[in-house]
Amino acid sequence: MTVEASRAEHSGSLVARIAAAAKTTEDDVVAVFTTHGIPLAYPPARPRSVRVHRLRVHGVRAGTNHDGPFDRTFTFDTDFTALVASNFRGKTSVLEIITWCLRGSARDRLQADVRRWLSGVELDVSIAGQAVGFRLALDKGDLARGMLLAAPQKESLAGESGAAGRQGVAILVDTTDEDDFAAHVATFMLDRLDLQPLVNAVSKDKQVGTQTHGWPAYYSAINLPAGPDKPLLGDQPMAGLPGRLLQVFLDLPAAAVLTRVKATREVLQSEVTQERDRARQAAEQRAADRARAQEALTAAQTELDRLVQQGPGPSLTDLADAAGRLAREVADAEENWDQLNRVYRAARRQRQADEKALNDVKESEIARLLFHGLDPSACPRCETPITTQRRQDERDVHRCAVCTAEVVGETVSDEEVEAEAQGRVDASESAEDAARQALESAESTVFQLTAQLDGAQQRLRAAGTADTVRQRMNAELEVARWKGALEMVPEPVEHEGDQESTVLKVLAAADKVLDQDSKAAATALFTELNAEIADLARRFGMSALERVEVNRAAQMKVIKGGGAQSFFGKQSPGEQVRLRIAVVIALLRVGARLGISTHPGLVLIDSPKAEEVQDFDAAVVFKELAELATSNHIQVLITTADRELSRAVLPADCLVTAEEGAPLW
């Protein structure tokens, strides 16, 4: 089964498959992935090779037996290069300076005094076919300026021609901040090597968040770590990183996407769980509050019932409520009486005015003549009051009380005017009688309500003097208080079971579908990978090894002669070194056969003999590594202090050697 066949097996629409598994719509799937920034496609990775061509270091060495300025250039023209020098003579520093450039930040393995010696570093490499130059200017061990250059070919980067603008050299990054330089390098390397950040969920103080591992995590599979406490791949055993690195480097479908789906799902599920816990705790608290209130209400009601049986009679609260109600009714009745009294007085004044007018028209011709006219109390223009004398003159000498002009006109019929005046008197008398009756009725109502209020107040005062009644009132208040408290606490709501949100259903389905894709692709890949690792490990001197079984979590089971089984962490330090190297080379060889992009193809190994590798075994490892690097076009940089061993087993053009006791640079 090939990788192409595995991909074809899962070539159906990823969106449709996830939607079917989640029992939702494809629009829901797209919305969830888009909202959380997760890609829905995972095409095969582009080639991601990394190859080192040239390293130049210059500065001033101090505090040693070889103090003074230095300027050394290393060229790496062969697939296998062994850096040979005595201990503490700069072998490890070369690998760590290369690491500083490629990783974007220095590691602790580059000693502080060595950093202070350096004033400049130049590293020329090819990254996915692109010629790239790293330039570091240093001041007392700190980065003073960091540059990242790109050129059409590596020759353009060397020497003075490496300056920006010459022979097509472009500046990609130019910064004086160490953290900024590291961030730019990490982003650049991830992009050029077609790698995605690895995201995993982490828990802290019952809170679940995400943790992102970028280019430094991937780089740990290039500069192989030493030590028995390190994982099979990379240098961090936590968060499942070794397995994720292995899956990415095997180009398993959606390896990086799957980690983001899992992390997002875990975070959201944690939030949902916490919300459910909060809701459950709130419901339990409400239930407890209701239970306490109900218990107190029952006790108060029992006490009230006892007092009622002991001293039957009206409730003091009811008496107070009745007295209050009657007081409000009395106030309303008095207000109504007051309004009706004003109406009655107005009707009476109108009746008196109409009677006077009737009397006037009977006695005076001028009154009959002016009967239908206006009767102002003041001049309509200047508002000067009309005096009593003017009105008398109007009656006696027929002069207008307003303008004093003589009043003349045709004599009107006495009978018609008197009849109309009498009609007005009759109407006003009827209105006065109606107003008087309404006023008397209101007065009667006020009297009755006032009497009722006096009686209610007397009963309330009489009841208030009895101890039993006061106790009963207190009990009634207690019952009312607990009834109110009970109403303030909502009834528990019955949930029909927690319904999983669409987002979580989609993420769960995506986790399942993507994991199935990964498993299907891994079946064939891991069969070949395990066989390749075992073959390489045996060539590196593990002759008793029968087979290895590596899973997607980068956990390795080692089966030796006689069927004895143990895991990678139980192997000796020397065996762990061999197996780590075998894994990386196996990734590259399997990837080359199957046409997939895997490991970048650059391997840095620092002093493998330090991990208890015996001379004979080291000779085998060195020889096999050199042969494998050449045959598979893998670039391997290795360090050793053993001159005799390196000269005996390695070609001369592979060696970069320092004199005995002298620094390598």
Side-chain angles (χ1 to χ4, degrees):
M1 182 177 182
T2 65
V3 174
E4 288 74 11
S6 173
R7 291 191 189 279
E9 204 175 283
H10 300 285
S11 60
S13 168
L14 177 63
V15 174
R17 291 162 56 212
I18 294 175
K23 297 180 180 179
T24 188
T25 66
E26 294 185 18
D27 288 342
D28 286 341
V29 175
V30 173
V32 170
F33 272 67
T34 302
T35 300
H36 292 89
I38 304 174
L40 268 167
Y42 41 89
R46 300 189 301 270
R48 52 169 67 108
S49 63
V50 176
R51 193 168 186 88
V52 177
H53 300 300
R54 181 181 73 92
L55 172 67
R56 178 194 173 203
V57 292
H58 58 91
V60 179
R61 184 182 292 103
T64 71
N65 294 328
H66 304 276
D67 291 352
F70 61 87
D71 190 340
R72 175 69 189 271
T73 297
F74 299 90
T75 56
F76 304 95
D77 299 325
T78 58
D79 293 312
F80 185 91
T81 301
L83 303 174
V84 185
S86 303
N87 290 330
F88 309 110
R89 289 298 180 267
K91 304 184 301 299
T92 298
S93 298
V94 171
L95 300 188
E96 290 303 320
I97 292 170
I98 293 174
T99 292
W100 188 347
C101 294
L102 291 179
R103 187 174 181 266
S105 57
R107 303 192 306 181
D108 292 340
R109 288 175 62 85
L110 182 60
Q111 297 177 359
D113 58 341
V114 176
R115 287 181 56 153
R116 293 178 68 87
W117 298 344
L118 295 169
S119 58
V121 174
E122 299 176 10
L123 179 69
D124 297 338
V125 300
S126 293
I127 299 174
Q130 170 73 60
V132 176
F134 295 85
R135 302 293 183 263
L136 307 182
L138 305 168
D139 180 21
K140 297 180 181 179
D142 296 325
L143 183 70
R145 185 183 186 186
M147 299 177 66
L148 187 59
L149 310 176
Q153 59 272 336
K154 66 179 186 294
E155 290 76 16
S156 303
L157 294 169
E160 292 298 323
S161 64
R166 300 181 183 178
Q167 299 187 24
V169 177
I171 299 177
L172 303 181
V173 176
D174 188 354
T175 179
T176 58
D177 184 83
E178 195 163 335
D179 293 336
D180 191 41
F181 179 74
H184 279 297
V185 170
T187 301
F188 174 81
M189 297 298 287
L190 288 176
D191 176 69
R192 293 303 173 93
L193 298 182
D194 200 16
L195 296 168
Q196 296 291 327
L198 298 172
V199 182
N200 63 278
V202 292
S203 299
K204 183 178 181 181
D205 299 330
K206 297 183 179 180
Q207 298 291 325
V208 177
T210 59
Q211 186 178 51
T212 301
H213 303 274
W215 170 239
Y218 285 109
Y219 184 81
S220 64
I222 290 177
N223 194 336
L224 301 188
D229 58 337
K230 301 299 181 181
L232 180 65
L233 193 64
D235 59 1
Q236 297 186 49
M238 305 300 293
L241 274 179
R244 292 169 185 176
L245 290 174
L246 182 62
Q247 293 177 48
V248 170
F249 286 145
L250 279 174
D251 199 22
L252 292 182
V257 175
L258 181 57
T259 64
R260 294 180 64 178
V261 168
K262 288 181 178 292
T264 303
R265 180 189 176 193
E266 288 181 27
V267 171
L268 293 180
Q269 185 61 62
S270 172
E271 292 175 354
V272 170
T273 300
Q274 291 176 14
E275 182 59 32
R276 288 174 180 170
D277 289 343
R278 286 192 291 269
R280 176 183 53 78
Q281 292 171 2
E284 291 175 352
Q285 184 62 45
R286 287 195 299 270
D289 291 343
R290 283 191 64 84
R292 285 194 296 270
Q294 185 62 59
E295 182 179 355
L297 175 59
T298 301
Q301 187 64 54
T302 300
E303 176 63 14
L304 178 59
D305 293 342
R306 183 187 68 80
L307 292 172
V308 170
Q309 292 175 0
Q310 180 180 354
S315 165
L316 194 61
T317 302
D318 292 342
L319 291 174
D321 290 342
R325 175 180 54 79
L326 286 169
R328 289 190 294 272
E329 291 179 1
V330 168
D332 293 341
E334 288 177 342
E335 183 178 358
N336 183 51
W337 179 89
D338 187 60
Q339 292 176 352
L340 291 173
N341 186 41
R342 286 195 295 271
V343 171
Y344 168 71
R345 288 198 300 270
R348 186 176 62 183
R349 285 193 299 272
Q350 184 62 45
R351 188 262 305 165
Q352 291 171 345
D354 290 341
E355 286 179 343
K356 182 178 182 302
L358 175 60
N359 186 59
D360 288 343
V361 298
K362 285 180 179 181
E363 296 179 354
S364 172
E365 180 181 353
I366 191 63
R368 289 192 295 274
L369 186 62
L370 298 176
F371 180 75
H372 292 101
L374 298 174
D375 186 22
S377 60
C379 175
R381 183 172 184 180
C382 67
E383 298 184 356
T384 300
I386 298 174
T387 64
T388 303
Q389 182 61 43
R390 281 197 175 193
R391 291 190 182 278
Q392 186 66 36
D393 290 345
E394 183 182 73
R395 180 181 178 88
D396 295 341
V397 297
H398 296 185
R399 290 187 179 279
C400 177
V402 177
C403 66
T404 70
E406 182 180 1
V407 179
V408 296
E410 296 182 359
T411 305
V412 297
S413 172
D414 295 344
E415 291 81 6
E416 292 178 1
V417 173
E418 289 181 9
E420 185 176 348
Q422 184 62 52
R424 292 185 181 183
V425 171
D426 293 341
S428 59
E429 286 178 345
S430 297
E432 182 183 10
D433 289 341
R436 182 188 299 108
Q437 292 174 7
L439 179 61
E440 291 173 351
S441 176
E443 188 173 357
S444 176
T445 300
V446 170
F447 178 79
Q448 293 174 3
L449 290 175
T450 302
Q452 292 177 13
L453 175 59
D454 290 341
Q457 290 176 338
Q458 290 176 4
R459 289 192 297 274
L460 181 61
R461 285 192 295 270
T465 59
D467 292 339
T468 302
V469 175
R470 284 196 296 271
Q471 293 174 3
R472 181 174 167 181
M473 182 186 69
N474 292 335
E476 289 173 347
L477 291 174
E478 191 74 1
V479 168
R481 184 167 75 88
W482 286 113
K483 282 184 177 179
L486 203 59
E487 291 175 358
M488 293 296 295
V489 182
E491 291 278 357
V493 179
E494 293 293 335
H495 295 282
E496 297 180 356
D498 294 320
Q499 296 295 321
E500 188 176 27
S501 70
T502 300
V503 174
L504 285 176
K505 287 195 295 185
V506 168
L507 291 175
D511 189 347
K512 181 179 179 181
V513 169
L514 294 173
D515 194 59
Q516 288 173 344
D517 288 359
S518 179
K519 285 181 179 178
T523 301
L525 281 172
F526 275 88
T527 298
E528 293 198 40
L529 183 67
N530 288 333
E532 194 70 43
I533 293 172
D535 178 64
L536 289 167
R538 284 192 289 268
R539 291 177 62 177
F540 291 158
M542 295 181 66
S543 57
L545 181 66
E546 291 186 356
R547 68 182 189 279
V548 297
E549 296 176 2
V550 179
N551 60 22
R552 289 188 301 154
Q555 297 168 330
M556 175 184 282
K557 186 183 294 184
V558 179
I559 298 92
K560 296 182 179 178
Q565 299 183 8
S566 58
F567 286 96
F568 172 79
K570 298 297 182 181
Q571 310 307 305
S572 69
E575 290 173 325
Q576 289 186 12
V577 170
R578 298 183 187 90
L579 289 171
R580 285 195 190 99
I581 298 171
V583 166
V584 172
I585 296 177
L587 284 171
L588 290 160
R589 295 181 73 175
V590 170
R593 284 200 300 269
L594 299 179
I596 59 176
S597 297
T598 57
H599 191 278
L602 172 65
V603 182
L604 310 183
I605 307 172
D606 187 25
S607 301
K609 275 197 67 175
E611 301 299 330
E612 302 178 5
V613 181
Q614 300 301 319
D615 288 351
F616 177 78
D617 292 336
V620 172
V621 171
F622 283 19
K623 185 176 180 181
E624 293 292 344
L625 267 177
E627 181 182 333
L628 289 167
T630 302
S631 61
N632 293 278
H633 198 48
I634 301 168
Q635 188 175 30
V636 178
L637 306 183
I638 196 169
T639 68
T640 181
D642 196 326
R643 285 181 171 73
E644 294 182 4
L645 173 64
S646 58
R647 290 170 181 169
V649 300
L650 297 174
D653 61 350
C654 294
L655 303 178
V656 177
T657 306
E659 295 296 330
E660 183 73 35
L664 190 63
W665 48 275

